[in-house]
Amino acid sequence: MKVVLAEPGKKAVIAEIGEDLRSMQRAVGGLIQTVYPWQDSAALICNDEGKLMGLPFNRALRGEDGQIYDTVAGTFFVCGLTEENFCRLTEQQAEKYLSEFLEPEMLVRTNRGLVAIKCSELPPKSPRKEEMER
């Protein structure tokens, strides 16, 4: 099925994954949790234990007012919904959610609360000085 896939520190992409449970679990790296943050027939599927496992922050979820109400840890994807199952995104949904989650975010705690800063793809960790001298 056609989904928008978002990995921590990377731009979101349109991807194809299987519609079976194993394929969805493989995509998020564990047990799945379904979140229904939108009015349209789409769902966000993430790792059910992502925060407990300490997976890296991925993206913030915002209400209609733009305020952060939750965060997602680890890889997630957005898919469509039928009355009984998950399904592929429509072209319009794919464009909407790709645009919404395209840029990676960095989460910063401030005295006013959490702030998610959109940023270009985060570079890989540079080797430590000791590793470079070897």
Side-chain angles (χ1 to χ4, degrees), residues 71-131:
T71 60
V72 181
T75 300
F76 70 87
F77 64 88
V78 179
C79 65
L81 291 171
T82 66
E83 286 186 25
E84 298 178 14
N85 294 312
F86 301 122
C87 66
R88 66 186 299 109
L89 292 170
T90 65
E91 289 300 319
Q92 294 81 11
Q93 288 174 319
E95 288 177 25
K96 175 183 175 181
Y97 295 112
L98 182 62
S99 175
E100 183 172 338
F101 295 115
L102 181 63
E103 293 299 322
E105 294 179 332
M106 189 170 57
L107 190 65
V108 178
R109 186 175 306 279
T110 70
N111 58 355
R112 293 185 177 169
L114 293 175
V115 176
I117 302 168
K118 293 199 181 289
C119 50
S120 60
E121 283 196 52
L122 301 174
K125 287 185 178 180
S126 59
R128 295 183 183 173
K129 183 179 176 182
E130 303 86 39
E131 292 172 346

Side-chain angles (χ1 to χ4, degrees), residues 53-64:
M53 294 169 56
L55 295 179
F57 166 74
N58 192 338
R59 306 289 200 282
L61 297 179
R62 295 172 174 82
E64 290 183 17

Side-chain angles (χ1 to χ4, degrees), residues 5-88:
L5 181 70
E7 296 179 72
K10 295 182 179 181
K11 289 187 176 188
V13 297
I14 304 264
E16 288 284 336
I17 66 168
E19 294 182 23
D20 60 290
L21 179 61
R22 282 187 191 219
S23 295
M24 290 185 259
Q25 289 175 329
R26 203 172 17 251
V28 301
L31 300 175
I32 64 169
Q33 175 184 10
T34 307
V35 182
Y36 304 97
W38 307 292
Q39 296 296 322
D40 68 352
S41 55
L44 185 146
I45 312 296
C46 61
N47 186 312
D48 186 42
E49 299 174 326
K51 291 177 185 173
L52 294 173
M53 294 169 56
L55 295 179
F57 166 74
N58 192 338
R59 306 289 200 282
L61 297 179
R62 295 172 174 82
E64 290 183 17
D65 59 0
Q67 297 297 312
I68 296 172
Y69 68 86
D70 201 357
T71 60
V72 181
T75 300
F76 70 87
F77 64 88
V78 179
C79 65
L81 291 171
T82 66
E83 286 186 25
E84 298 178 14
N85 294 312
F86 301 122
C87 66
R88 66 186 299 109

